[in-house]
């Protein structure tokens, strides 16, 4: 069991609050990256910068042995913070509303602890990844040769998790998070006077039918055992109340927990978009914006992570093979390229945390020692001296 010093814990809390006051968007985390690099260098690590623009990998070697990677995301969100504490964001319109400030502080704390207490044999790579939110910094790092430049047998990451109590961890031997794709549908009919609909082809009526059809796709074209979400979230049509418009634009998101289901939904949505509007004399087209794949833990590494969490200081319960979330996470790209696992670290104290991406969210500093402890214990158990 790794025992984390009070000095490291308190320092990590200060780092976290400092990052919170200075949030930066994906691929623009220049100040954040500079601070991270300076700290890692002060710990005596070999620091590599400029990977995927602002990404960092720091190397800690302690003799011959296997190597593993630990990853934290470093970017913020374009949200105006509504909190009132002293460490509120000083950058208008930007906010650490997902806890990446805390993830970064935890990984820095683990790096310092392991550099000072080398109860392992092998190599640890500390990966500070930019642009997790929507941009796909994880994919960029993989494409820029992350695993070729820094060969590792496994890679691990965490995310704070509101809804799970402090002291608890959740990890599964399969999907932890869903894939995420956006679709943009255009229905083109024939505009006319609203009092004479027979002279036109109404894309609004066709769109209403398409929305209902896409919702029934899940219940009637997929197995009830397949977990999928299709949400239509935007509709734009028309300029005047007495005119049937020429076009209707609608967009939404698709979330799936398997590659097979994801590909089936791509095909079915395209079929529905083309077929459903036809009886109304309306043409349908769809454009895709393919996003993150499923965050799929590797079974062996999930067990290794579970065992480490069960032996980490302060962890009171480990939920194994829990239900996944339909949210998405670009650590998925790292798991597609390298064995590894991802876990949730409970964030709810006496007062439940605000939800992720809320303008009133703040990372719970009480879980910083727990996160450092899990990562340090993982390294010390997997890279046994």
């Amino acid at each position: 069991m790794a025992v984390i010093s009070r000095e490291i814990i308190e320092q990590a809390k200060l780092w976290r609050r400092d990052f919170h006051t200075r949030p930066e968007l994906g691929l623009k985390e220049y100040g954040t990256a500079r601070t991270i690099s300076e700290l890692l260098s002060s710990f005596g690590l070999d620091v590599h910068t400029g990977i995927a623009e602002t990404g960092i990998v720091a190397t800690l070697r302690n003799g011959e042995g296997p190597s593993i990677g630990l990853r934290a995301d470093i970017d913020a969100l374009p949200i105006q913070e509504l909190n009132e504490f002293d460490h509120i964001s000083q950058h208008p319109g930007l906010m650490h509303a997902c806890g990446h400030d805390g993830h970064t502080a935890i990984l820095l704390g683990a790096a310092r602890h392991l550099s000072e207490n080398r109860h392992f044999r092998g190599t640890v790579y500390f990966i500070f990844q930019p642009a997790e939110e929507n941009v796909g910094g994880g994919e960029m790092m993989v494409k820029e040769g992350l695993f070729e430049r820094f060969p590792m047998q496994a890679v691990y990451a965490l995310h704070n998790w509101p809804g799970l109590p402090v002291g608890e961890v959740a990890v599964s031997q399969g999907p932890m998070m869903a894939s995420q794709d956006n679709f943009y549908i255009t229905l083109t009919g024939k505009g006319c006077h609203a009092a004479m609909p027979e002279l036109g082809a109404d894309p609004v009526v066709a769109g209403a039918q398409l929305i209902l059809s896409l919702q029934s796709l899940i219940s009637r074209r997929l197995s009830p055992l397949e977990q999928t979400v299709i949400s239509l979230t935007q509709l734009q049509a028309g300029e005047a109340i007495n005119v049937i418009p020429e076009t209707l634009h609608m967009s939404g998101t698709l979330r799936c927990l398997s590659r097979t289901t994801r590909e089936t939904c791509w095909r079915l949505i395209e079929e529905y978009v083309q077929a459903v509007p036809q009886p109304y004399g309306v043409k349908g087209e769809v454009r895709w914006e393919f996003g993150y794949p499923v965050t799929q833990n590797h079974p062996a590494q999930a067990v290794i992570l579970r065992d480490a969490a069960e032996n980490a200081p302060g962890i009171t319960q480990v939920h194994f093979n829990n239900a996944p979330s339909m949210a998405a996470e670009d650590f998925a790209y790292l798991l597609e390229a390298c064995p590894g696992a991802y876990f949730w670290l409970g964030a709810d104290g006496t007062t439940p945390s605000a939800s992720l991406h809320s303008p009133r969210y703040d990372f719970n500093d009480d879980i910083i020692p727990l996160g450092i402890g899990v990562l340090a214990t993982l390294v010390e158990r997997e890279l046994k001296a």
Side-chain angles (χ1 to χ4, degrees):
M1 176 187 292
V3 179
I4 313 303
S5 72
R6 174 52 54 186
E7 180 186 356
I8 290 177
I9 292 169
E10 293 306 315
Q11 188 65 64
K13 291 179 179 180
L14 293 176
W15 296 332
R16 201 285 294 182
R17 296 191 175 204
D18 180 55
F19 289 131
H20 193 92
T21 65
R22 301 182 290 110
E24 297 172 298
L25 293 179
L27 305 183
K28 297 180 180 179
E29 311 97 328
Y30 299 109
T32 302
R34 183 168 53 252
T35 299
I36 293 169
S37 298
E38 291 171 353
L39 287 168
L40 292 168
S41 295
S42 74
F43 305 157
L45 276 61
D46 185 13
V47 181
H48 303 264
T49 62
I51 306 167
E53 190 66 32
T54 48
I56 300 163
V57 177
T59 304
L60 176 62
R61 292 186 175 87
N62 192 44
E64 296 297 323
S67 58
I68 63 173
L70 305 176
R71 171 270 202 181
D73 35 19
I74 67 174
D75 58 321
L77 283 157
I79 295 175
Q80 181 63 45
E81 184 163 7
L82 298 180
N83 290 312
E84 297 179 352
F85 40 62
D86 291 342
H87 59 277
I88 190 172
S89 170
Q90 298 302 304
H91 294 174
L94 302 181
M95 178 188 174
H96 271 295
C98 201
H100 297 184
D101 50 346
H103 304 163
T104 300
I106 285 171
L107 190 55
L108 284 168
R112 180 180 167 187
H113 170 84
L114 291 166
S115 68
E116 295 176 357
N117 301 273
R118 303 192 178 202
H119 303 310
F120 68 94
R121 177 123 351 237
T123 301
V124 185
Y125 296 111
F126 300 92
I127 305 163
F128 293 86
Q129 181 215 299
E132 188 279 328
E133 299 287 357
N134 302 315
V135 182
E139 182 181 30
M140 294 174 64
M141 292 191 84
V142 171
K143 287 183 175 180
E144 291 188 19
L146 172 65
F147 295 112
E148 290 75 27
R149 293 178 61 184
F150 310 98
M152 59 193 81
Q153 282 70 59
V155 64
Y156 299 93
L158 65 83
H159 204 294
N160 78 100
W161 207 250
L164 192 67
V166 168
E168 298 187 12
V169 162
V171 61
S172 294
Q173 288 182 295
M176 287 289 293
M177 311 278 275
S179 63
Q180 182 265 321
D181 301 304
N182 298 329
F183 53 85
Y184 302 86
I185 298 168
T186 299
L187 299 184
T188 304
K190 181 180 178 182
C192 64
H193 197 295
M196 293 170 274
E198 73 279 5
L199 299 180
D202 191 345
V204 175
V205 173
Q209 187 61 49
L210 180 58
I211 292 172
L212 295 175
S213 297
L214 289 175
Q215 297 306 306
S216 65
L217 181 158
I218 296 174
S219 63
R220 288 297 175 265
R221 297 298 300 275
L222 298 177
S223 165
L225 301 178
E226 296 289 345
Q227 293 170 283
T228 305
V229 174
I230 298 175
S231 293
L232 277 296
T233 57
Q234 294 179 318
L235 294 171
Q236 296 94 27
E239 296 173 313
I241 198 168
N242 61 342
V243 176
I244 290 176
E246 188 92 2
T247 59
L248 168 69
H249 299 281
M250 51 201 299
S251 54
T253 182
L254 167 69
R255 311 285 175 132
C256 303
L257 289 176
S258 80
R259 173 74 183 186
T260 300
T261 303
R262 188 184 187 195
E263 292 176 348
T264 298
C265 287
W266 293 343
R267 175 179 56 80
L268 288 174
I269 289 173
E270 291 189 4
E271 287 181 6
Y272 277 46
V273 168
Q274 293 178 21
V276 172
Q278 284 184 357
Y280 301 92
V282 173
K283 180 182 178 182
E285 296 179 338
V286 60
R287 176 176 64 85
W288 286 95
E289 187 178 81
F290 299 114
Y292 300 165
V294 179
T295 303
Q296 180 93 12
N297 281 350
H298 295 249
Q301 282 67 39
V303 171
I304 290 169
L305 185 50
R306 177 200 65 187
D307 293 347
E310 289 177 343
N311 287 275
I315 300 302
T316 57
Q317 185 174 1
V318 177
H319 302 273
F320 193 55
N321 289 334
N322 52 291
S325 167
M326 299 308 289
E329 157 68 64
D330 84 338
F331 186 62
Y333 292 111
L334 279 68
L335 291 176
E336 285 191 332
C338 179
Y342 177 87
F343 71 98
W344 297 333
L345 183 65
D348 280 358
T350 305
T351 302
S353 169
S355 65
L356 300 175
H357 294 206
S358 162
R360 299 191 183 280
Y361 168 87
D362 188 37
F363 189 88
N364 184 351
D365 286 344
D366 291 342
I367 71 174
I368 286 177
L370 304 180
I372 297 173
V374 172
L375 295 182
T377 301
L378 171 66
V379 170
E380 293 175 2
R381 288 174 63 88
E382 191 164 1
L383 305 182
K384 292 180 180 179

